[in-house]
Amino acid sequence: MNTTADARTTWDGIYAARPAATDPRPNVRLTETVAELPPGDALELGCGEGGDTLWLARRGWRVTAVDLSAVAVERLNALARSHGLANRVTAEQHDLGASFPEAPEAPEAPDGPEASEAPESTGGTDGGFDLVTAHYLHTPFDLDRSAVLRRAAHALRPGGRLLVVDHGSTAPWSWNQDPDVRFPSPREVAEGLALDPAGWTVERADAPRRTATGPDGTTAEVTDHVLCVRRVRRTDGRA
């Protein structure tokens, strides 16, 4: 059977079989994209061990991190506490096909010269994040991924970015070793979101290569499919 319970059990087993990470590394596509952005409210879809979440929190972002696995969520909350980042990290368990995290309350606008650099705030659950990231959000279980990413795009504030990084090749340690698997291009992923071009614009859609390290320490050259979409305005009639 291909149920949410099966998926939870599978992903809990995968994470439980690994030693708990003490300082997981962030994904390179995140660091190269976000390093120069002013911090705000971020959402990570499929947080896993939490390397991206902790990297963002250390740079001043308030991060809501979600995963289907209770093991991953519990470990990340504990890790955030151990690194003194609990006030910037909230890890939650979600089946993204059934529920979506709410945006945090918008912080008060700063006074002084920092005000011009602060991300624009609209508040509410629609348009409440300045950044949404989804790295390798692939699963062998049923998930309408385009619907999830479309909702993520709508969860952005104007000026906010959706960063989607997918596998563009099969690594030796991948759970999917099907030789006939096809990897949709970033442009195809963007087209599948069916976003109104008046409200969102594609800033990046490419397929860079890198040397990756697997869970067992082996390395291989892999391809990433990178899509970055920026919300330029609301499309619901509000300013």
Side-chain angles (χ1 to χ4, degrees):
M1 295 179 64
N2 191 356
T3 66
T4 298
D6 293 331
R8 287 196 184 106
T9 299
T10 297
W11 290 111
D12 278 345
I14 289 172
Y15 287 111
R18 301 175 183 172
T22 57
D23 195 11
R25 295 173 300 174
N27 284 296
V28 66
R29 304 305 173 206
L30 175 77
T31 60
E32 70 184 18
T33 302
V34 178
E36 302 302 320
L37 297 181
D41 291 305
L43 170 62
E44 183 180 7
L45 304 178
C47 60
E49 294 182 332
D52 289 354
T53 289
L54 296 177
W55 184 87
L56 288 166
R58 286 175 176 135
R59 281 151 183 80
W61 292 80
R62 295 194 305 169
V63 189
T64 301
V66 304
D67 203 283
L68 181 61
S69 168
V71 174
V73 167
E74 291 167 4
R75 284 183 174 180
L76 179 51
N77 276 323
L79 202 54
R81 289 192 296 270
S82 71
H83 285 275
L85 297 169
N87 63 327
R88 293 193 174 276
V89 173
T90 301
E92 303 173 353
Q93 185 181 21
H94 280 271
D95 169 10
L96 290 171
S99 65
F100 200 84
E102 294 187 358
E105 291 293 327
E108 293 184 6
D111 296 322
E114 295 85 0
S116 61
E117 298 182 2
E120 181 179 349
S121 170
T122 60
T125 57
D126 177 27
F129 292 102
D130 306 293
L131 174 70
V132 181
T133 71
H135 279 71
Y136 314 112
L137 190 65
H138 306 286
T139 177
F141 297 91
D142 289 339
L143 177 68
D144 187 345
R145 205 182 78 125
S146 291
V148 172
L149 296 178
R150 187 179 307 115
R151 189 167 184 180
H154 281 270
L156 293 170
R157 294 173 177 144
R161 289 169 173 84
L162 168 63
L163 175 64
V164 181
V165 182
D166 292 336
H167 295 301
S169 63
T170 301
W173 52 82
S174 173
W175 52 263
N176 186 355
Q177 292 294 323
D178 181 356
D180 297 321
V181 67
R182 182 179 178 278
F183 302 97
S185 71
R187 288 288 177 182
E188 289 175 298
V189 173
E191 290 170 3
L193 301 187
L195 297 172
D196 183 348
W200 292 266
T201 184
V202 174
E203 287 193 328
R204 178 179 181 183
D206 60 2
R209 298 186 65 81
R210 63 184 172 89
T211 299
T213 303
D216 61 355
T218 59
T219 61
E221 188 176 45
V222 299
T223 300
D224 290 325
H225 283 175
V226 183
L227 172 67
C228 186
V229 177
R230 183 172 183 265
R231 189 169 195 176
V232 294
R233 60 182 288 271
R234 300 189 70 95
T235 56
D236 56 7
R238 287 187 284 169

